[in-house]
Amino acid sequence: MSEPTFPASFVSRGFDAAMQFHLVRATGDEVVLEYTIDERHRQPYGIVHGGVHCAAVETACSTGAALSAMPRGQAVVGVENHTSFIHAVRQGRVRVIATPLTRGKRSQLWEAVSQDESGRVIASGRVRLLCLDAGSDLAGEKVSSGPRA
């Protein structure tokens, strides 16, 4: 059975597009996401805003969890994001690598590490995700087993 994949446009629209997040590799076992720091990512002190780190961790973890749940006909939604900011960074390319800690039928826990170009860890986080069966209600709509095309 082949690995499920997202539509090519998945991370190239909405918030992820606004943040210029790019998927390098994505499977149900590992997700690699990258972005190049520019003005959109910085807070007033000139360093990457903590919310950007949280969002990158969430995107990487959610993508992997979704790919893991799709073969079961499920979608996922994040219910908790705990991201720690370890080293401030002002410029360069950031790589976020997410891997699963547990992939149950009702919930998943994924962990991500963000590194700068030298490999220094700049943030790390864990995201707990709820697995939803296709047809479940989510914010007034029925969910499907994959992202909207």
Side-chain angles (χ1 to χ4, degrees):
M1 182 176 179
S2 64
E3 286 273 341
T5 58
F6 283 123
S9 64
F10 182 69
V11 178
S12 61
R13 66 177 197 209
F15 181 80
D16 294 329
M19 290 294 103
Q20 294 287 301
F21 293 161
H22 301 283
L23 285 177
V24 174
R25 182 171 54 257
T27 71
D29 295 317
E30 181 185 66
V31 173
V32 179
L33 173 150
E34 292 183 343
Y35 63 97
T36 300
I37 299 167
D38 64 22
E39 279 305 310
R40 84 188 81 219
H41 303 111
R42 294 185 187 104
Q43 46 95 302
Y45 290 106
I47 61 175
V48 173
H49 191 286
V52 175
H53 292 304
C54 289
V57 164
E58 179 101 17
T59 295
C61 291
S62 295
T63 300
L67 289 169
S68 180
M70 285 169 64
R72 295 191 305 269
Q74 293 181 312
V76 297
V77 61
V79 294
E80 180 180 52
N81 179 332
H82 180 100
T83 299
S84 296
F85 318 128
I86 299 167
H87 290 287
V89 63
R90 295 179 184 277
Q91 61 188 16
R93 191 130 180 102
V94 175
R95 176 172 273 226
V96 182
I97 301 171
T99 55
L101 296 176
T102 182
R103 292 178 286 192
K105 292 180 182 175
R106 295 290 163 223
S107 71
Q108 296 188 45
L109 181 62
W110 281 67
E111 183 170 60
V113 174
S114 301
Q115 299 173 315
D116 65 13
E117 292 171 302
S118 71
R120 179 177 67 159
V121 175
I122 57 174
S124 69
R126 287 184 175 186
V127 177
R128 180 165 299 281
L129 302 109
L130 181 64
C131 300
L132 300 172
D133 292 328
S136 298
D137 286 322
L138 179 63
E141 293 184 13
K142 302 289 184 194
V143 299
S144 65
S145 62
R148 293 180 181 184

